[in-house]
Amino acid sequence: MGIQYKSLILIIGEDITMKDNLKTNIKDIIKNNQKKIKIIGILIISIILLIMVLVAIFKEQSKQKYIGYNGKNLKESKYPGYKKLIDELQERHPNWTFTLFYTKLDWEDVIENEGHSDTRRNPLNVIPDSSYYPEDWKCEIDKNKAFDNGTWLCASNKAIKHQMDIRNVLNEENIFQLKELNYVKNSQTEKGIREIIKGTFLEKDSVIQALLQASQNANLDPYFVASRLIQEQGRNGTVLAKGYKYKENIIYNVFNVKASGNSTTEILENAAKYSYDQGWDTMEKSIIGGIEFVKKGYINRGQNTLYLQKFDIVKQDGSLYTNQYMQNLMAPKSEASNMLKIYKASGTVDSNLNFIIPLYENMPEEIE
């Protein structure tokens, strides 16, 4: 026992001595290599800082930007075909201004996300079931399957490309798809409103005043509002515009808010429930409430043109392709046509209007 005890003490003593020697050696190494250690420390810190700078640069480069067009700040080799078309519009309308919207989105990625897939219950883009449209404008998936109320078909990538290609929009007929939807004093008048709503379900003094006042309060173009209402309801108005009975109450939903589903009954009931919950028991209340809905749900998220409300390519809310006002692929074109007519009728088409021009990366030379 005594010998074993002494041996244990010797082992422990040796271990302590080794640890002391190791500490001493480490201290000596540090002392003798302080300059090298400092250099290594500086290198590590420099690498960390470089990584942080590169991450910041990458984030900045991928950040969407808005830049006013001045006739010289658009790179034609990167965005082919844009400049000539913008300059032609600028020459014909000197008071117009243009804002370049650098989406930082790849063109083919955008089309892929906007296109239909077999994993998506309902397509993001549909076209009317009509012989007016080419056969290849129907998507291959669900080619002849009807959606919503049975009169809409899934749009193909070819159709989506045609409607989303900004170079097909930069002309007199379609440019109002890109007009910034803000209120501009002296550009939107009561005369213009009365002109567009003539012969429609909106032709009523109280409705006109509600539309003008609510649009001005929300800083929205009242011509856009009138166009949207006619687009949603048609010139005669649907039951949601004329009054729909829900839970023994008559409600109105002129913007067709929440009007979605796969049957007419389902569409009406969903829209009616929302209207009932909002207390829209007059057309005027529906207009005022609907304008606020559009402002909060779309304008405040950066979707402040007809084009951007149809195609959610704005990252402001942190998402893409999800917050789209309508499925109808042709809606921006139709609404833009109505807006142009109003501006021409009111004599304000050449007033100080701004247009937001989306730019995509890797656009093809050939217009879709």
Side-chain angles (χ1 to χ4, degrees):
M1 287 292 292
I3 293 172
Q4 290 179 345
Y5 181 72
K6 287 179 180 179
S7 298
L8 181 60
I9 291 174
L10 286 172
I11 292 171
I12 293 172
E14 289 176 1
D15 186 51
I16 292 171
T17 301
M18 288 178 64
K19 287 183 178 179
D20 289 340
N21 290 337
L22 181 60
K23 288 181 180 179
T24 301
N25 290 336
I26 292 172
K27 287 180 180 179
D28 289 340
I29 291 171
I30 293 173
K31 185 177 181 180
N32 296 329
N33 296 278
Q34 283 185 349
K35 187 175 289 186
K36 290 182 180 179
I37 291 171
K38 284 183 179 179
I39 292 172
I40 293 171
I42 291 172
L43 285 173
I44 292 172
I45 293 172
S46 298
I47 291 171
I48 293 172
L49 289 174
L50 178 61
I51 292 172
M52 292 174 66
V53 169
L54 291 174
V55 169
I57 291 173
F58 175 78
K59 284 184 177 180
E60 184 62 27
Q61 288 180 340
S62 62
K63 186 178 180 181
Q64 296 185 329
K65 293 182 179 180
Y66 297 83
I67 299 175
Y69 177 66
N70 61 16
K72 301 177 181 178
N73 59 345
L74 180 56
K75 196 172 182 179
E76 294 181 75
S77 60
K78 194 171 184 181
Y79 306 104
Y82 281 79
K83 188 177 186 305
K84 179 185 176 184
L85 296 171
I86 295 174
D87 288 345
E88 288 175 352
L89 287 168
Q90 179 79 81
E91 185 177 353
R92 289 195 290 270
H93 305 278
N95 291 328
W96 286 6
T97 56
F98 301 88
T99 298
L100 303 176
F101 171 34
Y102 290 86
T103 68
K104 302 301 178 75
L105 300 175
D106 180 82
W107 172 246
E108 291 298 333
D109 286 346
V110 170
I111 299 305
E112 183 179 350
N113 280 282
E114 285 288 344
H116 192 31
S117 70
D118 55 5
T119 59
R120 184 179 287 144
R121 182 185 176 189
N122 293 307
L124 293 180
N125 296 282
V126 296
I127 58 172
D129 184 3
S130 168
S131 58
Y132 176 82
Y133 299 100
E135 188 67 19
D136 59 6
W137 272 38
K138 302 175 186 178
C139 66
E140 292 183 10
I141 301 173
D142 297 329
K143 187 171 185 178
N144 293 307
K145 180 181 177 181
F147 292 90
D148 286 341
N149 60 2
T151 61
W152 298 91
L153 300 176
C154 168
S156 69
N157 282 8
K158 180 177 181 178
I160 295 170
K161 282 184 177 182
H162 181 83
Q163 293 307 114
M164 289 195 74
D165 192 329
I166 296 299
R167 294 167 296 186
N168 287 324
V169 182
L170 291 173
N171 53 64
E172 295 276 357
E173 182 183 357
N174 295 298
I175 186 62
F176 275 78
Q177 292 181 47
L178 308 178
K179 182 199 169 293
E180 187 174 9
L181 300 176
N182 60 317
Y183 176 79
V184 181
K185 189 176 181 180
N186 299 324
S187 291
Q188 299 115 13
T189 65
E190 183 175 331
K191 177 184 175 183
I193 293 294
R194 290 188 179 279
E195 183 67 28
I196 192 174
I197 67 172
K198 187 184 298 181
T200 73
F201 72 99
L202 294 168
E203 195 172 14
K204 185 180 177 183
D205 286 343
S206 61
V207 169
I208 293 171
Q209 293 307 314
L211 193 155
L212 282 169
Q213 192 60 55
S215 297
Q216 188 172 345
N217 291 344
N219 190 29
L220 273 182
D221 184 343
Y223 291 179
F224 148 67
V225 176
S227 298
R228 172 61 54 82
L229 295 179
I230 294 173
Q231 175 71 32
E232 292 290 343
Q233 298 292 331
R235 298 190 68 80
N236 295 324
T238 68
V239 291
L240 288 174
K242 297 176 179 178
Y244 182 76
K245 191 173 183 179
Y246 182 80
K247 291 187 177 181
E248 303 304 318
N249 293 274
I250 301 299
I251 56 84
Y252 298 79
N253 191 334
V254 292
F255 280 89
N256 284 343
V257 180
K258 304 297 181 182
S260 60
N262 287 312
S263 69
T264 300
T265 300
E266 185 180 358
I267 291 169
L268 288 174
E269 287 295 298
N270 286 339
K273 182 182 184 305
Y274 185 85
S275 304
Y276 177 80
D277 292 341
Q278 303 303 312
W280 295 348
D281 55 8
T282 67
M283 188 189 296
E284 290 78 5
K285 287 181 181 179
S286 176
I287 289 174
I288 294 169
I291 286 173
E292 278 303 309
F293 174 84
V294 173
K295 181 176 175 60
K296 291 178 181 178
Y298 297 90
I299 303 298
N300 291 352
R301 295 187 183 188
Q303 294 173 260
N304 54 349
T305 70
L306 296 174
Y307 182 96
L308 294 177
Q309 286 184 16
K310 174 64 194 86
F311 308 112
D312 180 12
I313 55 171
V314 183
K315 291 182 182 177
Q316 186 171 308
D317 62 355
S319 64
L320 294 167
Y321 316 115
T322 58
N323 195 52
Q324 303 196 159
Y325 191 91
M326 70 289 281
Q327 289 176 281
N328 182 2
L329 180 64
M330 310 307 295
K333 180 180 177 70
S334 177
E335 288 186 70
S337 177
N338 284 332
M339 284 182 65
L340 177 60
K341 288 176 184 176
I342 310 174
Y343 275 98
K344 285 183 175 180
S346 60
T348 57
V349 73
D350 285 311
S351 55
N352 299 319
L353 306 177
N354 185 55
F355 299 84
I356 299 174
I357 316 298
L359 301 174
Y360 300 102
E361 304 304 309
N362 303 311
M363 285 292 290
E365 290 278 347
E366 186 177 344
I367 297 177
E368 301 290 347

